[in-house]
Amino acid sequence: MERSTRVSVFESDKPSEIQLIKSKLDDAQITNAVENSYLTFTTTPTATSLKIMVDLEEESKAFEIIDAYLQQSEKQ
């Protein structure tokens, strides 16, 4: 069984932003997963950072989609 390497392509503490990026990756048929991890350097123990993980082979395609989204959102 082949094991794939997964890498983080986007991080945010805003679930709505994570969901938007995730849906764009889904639309492009890029397999992805959302992971969360506690932020250890904050004083609030409940603060979490969400990460979108993709297979290493799809990393560059995912970054293209995310970059296009970020450029579009900056113009608004």
Side-chain angles (χ1 to χ4, degrees), residues 16-56:
S16 59
E17 190 173 40
I18 289 288
Q19 194 58 45
L20 185 65
I21 297 288
K22 182 174 180 10
S23 68
K24 289 187 178 297
L25 295 177
D26 288 341
D27 290 346
Q29 298 180 333
I30 296 175
T31 304
N32 62 80
V34 176
E35 294 182 0
N36 64 355
S37 57
Y38 288 102
L39 298 174
T40 57
F41 55 86
T42 62
T43 56
T44 309
T46 57
T48 59
S49 175
L50 299 168
K51 295 181 193 179
I52 297 181
M53 308 292 287
V54 301
D55 289 337
L56 184 60

Side-chain angles (χ1 to χ4, degrees), residues 2 4 7 10 12 15 23 32 47 49 51 54 59 70 72 76:
E2 188 177 320
S4 62
V7 293
F10 188 76
S12 177
S23 68
N32 62 80
S49 175
K51 295 181 193 179
V54 301
E59 179 184 28
L70 291 174
Q72 184 181 19
Q76 294 177 357

Side-chain angles (χ1 to χ4, degrees), residues 1 4 8-9 17 33 37 39-41 53-55 58-61 63-64 66 68-69 73-74:
M1 185 162 67
S4 62
S8 173
V9 291
E17 190 173 40
S37 57
L39 298 174
T40 57
F41 55 86
M53 308 292 287
V54 301
D55 289 337
E58 298 182 302
E59 179 184 28
S60 62
K61 187 176 175 186
F63 276 134
E64 287 176 24
I66 294 166
Y69 160 75
S73 64
E74 282 178 9

